[in-house]
Amino acid sequence: MKVDGELILKPGKERSLARRHPWVYATAVARVVGKPAAGATIAVRAADGAWLAWAAYSPESSIRARCWSFAEAEAIDAGWFAARVRAAVARRAMLGVATNAVRLVFGEADGLPGFIADRYADQLVVQFQAAGVNAQRDALLDALGAATGCANVYDRSDSATRQREGLPPSSGIARGAAPPELVEVHEHGVRYLVDVRRGHKTGFYIDQRDNRRLAGELAARLARERGRAPAVLNCFCYTGGFSIAAARGGAGSVLSIDSSADALALAQRNWALNGLAPAAAEWRAADVFDALRALRDEGRPFDLIVLDPPKFAASHHHVERAARAYKDINLSALRLLAPGGYLLTFSCSGAIDVDLFQKIVAGAVIDARVDCQLLARLAAGIDHPLLMTHPEGEYLKGLLLVRI
Ligand code: SAH
């Protein structure tokens, strides 16, 4: 295939590509041949000139190229992108998830680095997070339309990741008609309204689907075994995902905390949409760090506590400060956890791996002077796969603890 340029790597830097890792860091590049534009398809070559991969060029990013293919015979054209999108969508159809809110394409994991496509009922929402997929916008949108039959696509390319690529934020209608104010989806029998224009990510935390169901199951188990409906605390509740799942499972009361008034307003609509009693819900617009301390003063124990904070560590530079923040909220939560109660605690910081997260939470357990068992390690749902050659793709991890 003829391309607009080539990246020649420094000696020895071909090794990660030989292991089919999809990123080429700027520090690995010896020189650029030609004048490729941002997002252009280029050849990556070893120092001795050997062909290694077809990739997309990201001149502004510390990830200087993202690989499309390790097969030299492949032509990276519209047909190639269509095939990748088709394959990703077909794989999702095989997963059997009980929902119509699904991640159809998940960047590197689906061989399309930086491209996200989520489906909310018949509305698609996309993000172009890297120069390569940004340059292939039309081919990807055409392919997505053909693979799903969905006419309406909304673009939410307004995440911070684009800045690192030198791309401006962009959002709006990408194809078809404007999305409705709120799109209704269902997940394991629970109904949620999603604001695809203004919501976080593409509107909803699709990745927590199975963990929300687990919260519902834990609430049901507590109610059954103890003969009284459990008290639930959901911190960083956003639009009420875990709160509603727990209430549907049989929680007697759910206190939900978030700093965003808009998120809480939508959470309350979601609560009502599921026919749940208003009296069982308490909503607090507050900073969780402060609210947890205030709850301690109130002396109010909880049988199930969910901690699902935003990404505290945006990069490895922030790991130490983030670790302190994770420890702080986990310690506060453990002090509120009734004996026999469950803590579902999460981190979506890619820079904090599962072992470190477990250590941080163990530190909180020690300081709280309680005994806890780790019952399960949790992760994102099955439609957010991890490419085995790209461990950096792992971001969401959770722990299920029980206080004994
Ligand atoms: N568990 C949710 C997703 C949580 S997203 C779900 O399943 O849908 C994280 C949420 O934390 C956001 O709604 C954000 O508004 C809120 N948030 C961020 N920092 C906060 C803080 N310090 N105190 C309270 N809420 C905060």
Side-chain angles (χ1 to χ4, degrees):
M1 191 176 72
K2 193 172 157 0
V3 288
D4 298 331
E6 297 190 340
L7 280 192
I8 314 296
L9 302 187
K10 293 175 184 165
K13 294 298 183 186
E14 68 285 354
R15 277 187 221 121
S16 73
L17 277 89
R19 294 201 306 266
R20 300 170 83 88
H21 187 278
W23 292 349
V24 177
Y25 284 100
T27 49
V29 177
R31 63 197 162 89
V32 182
V33 179
K35 289 217 172 337
T41 299
I42 52 166
V44 183
R45 294 186 183 276
D48 65 4
W51 185 93
L52 297 170
W54 301 124
Y57 183 49
S58 283
E60 307 260 334
S61 173
S62 59
I63 301 170
R64 196 51 51 90
R66 288 175 167 80
C67 296
W68 295 131
S69 167
F70 299 102
E72 191 170 5
E74 285 185 5
I76 313 302
D77 53 15
W80 184 91
F81 286 102
R84 284 260 157 127
V85 169
R86 225 174 18 246
V89 171
R91 280 191 289 269
R92 297 317 187 274
M94 293 295 292
L95 298 178
V97 285
T99 180
N100 59 354
V102 183
R103 175 146 297 187
L104 296 176
V105 185
F106 188 28
E108 277 73 355
D110 286 299
L112 292 167
F115 182 51
I116 305 293
D118 289 342
R119 179 174 188 156
Y120 297 106
D122 288 330
Q123 176 70 50
L124 301 180
V125 186
V126 291
Q127 292 182 318
F128 302 94
Q129 296 182 335
V133 288
N134 196 58
Q136 302 294 339
R137 183 186 162 94
D138 285 334
L140 289 166
L141 289 171
D142 288 346
L144 204 54
T148 61
C150 294
N152 301 333
V153 188
Y154 197 75
D155 184 6
R156 284 295 308 274
S157 296
D158 50 17
S159 70
T161 36
R162 268 173 76 94
Q163 274 170 24
R164 292 198 283 269
E165 295 280 315
L167 299 168
S170 103
S171 60
I173 299 165
R175 290 285 161 93
E181 272 309 302
L182 296 167
V183 183
E184 185 179 327
V185 297
H186 59 82
E187 169 190 288
H188 295 305
V190 183
R191 297 162 73 187
Y192 294 106
L193 296 167
V194 178
D195 182 347
V196 302
R197 284 189 190 78
R198 287 168 296 268
H200 291 176
K201 308 226 277 183
T202 60
F204 194 59
Y205 289 83
I206 299 179
D207 52 1
Q208 288 283 29
R209 175 194 311 123
D210 296 337
N211 300 321
R212 283 188 286 262
R213 179 175 61 175
L214 175 60
E217 287 171 2
L218 293 170
R221 248 181 264 164
L222 283 164
R224 210 170 42 237
E225 300 303 323
R226 297 174 155 198
R228 75 177 163 81
V232 175
L233 170 62
N234 181 14
C235 297
F236 310 96
C237 70
Y238 187 49
T239 54
F242 282 97
S243 307
I244 294 158
R248 293 255 318 191
S253 68
V254 184
L255 169 55
S256 307
I257 305 171
D258 201 284
S259 54
S260 159
D262 287 348
L264 285 169
L266 189 49
Q268 289 172 66
R269 286 186 66 175
N270 281 331
W271 184 273
L273 181 68
N274 286 279
L276 296 164
E282 191 185 329
W283 310 95
R284 277 193 201 176
D287 181 283
V288 164
F289 292 82
D290 301 336
L292 285 173
R293 290 197 181 87
L295 283 169
R296 180 127 196 257
D297 296 339
E298 290 172 32
R300 191 169 151 186
F302 292 92
D303 304 301
L304 169 61
I305 301 180
V306 180
L307 293 177
D308 184 23
K311 186 159 66 177
F312 285 158
S315 76
H316 62 271
H317 301 295
H318 306 105
V319 165
E320 229 173 276
R321 204 179 57 202
R324 278 196 296 276
Y326 284 119
K327 181 165 174 194
D328 186 350
I329 53 171
N330 279 280
L331 174 56
S332 296
L334 286 161
R335 286 179 168 150
L336 298 172
L337 193 64
Y342 295 106
L343 173 64
L344 266 174
T345 181
F346 298 95
S347 162
C348 60
S349 302
I352 293 186
D353 67 20
V354 63
D355 293 329
L356 176 55
F357 185 55
Q358 189 171 316
K359 277 193 194 111
I360 294 166
V361 176
V365 169
I366 292 163
D367 287 8
R369 307 176 75 80
V370 291
D371 286 317
C372 285
Q373 291 174 335
L374 174 61
L375 296 181
R377 281 182 167 190
L378 309 166
I382 198 168
D383 51 343
H384 291 62
L386 177 68
L387 189 68
M388 289 299 282
T389 49
H390 183 244
E392 293 87 342
E394 185 166 26
Y395 68 106
L396 180 63
K397 59 238 126 215
L399 303 173
L400 169 61
L401 267 53
V402 61
R403 182 172 166 196
I404 56 172

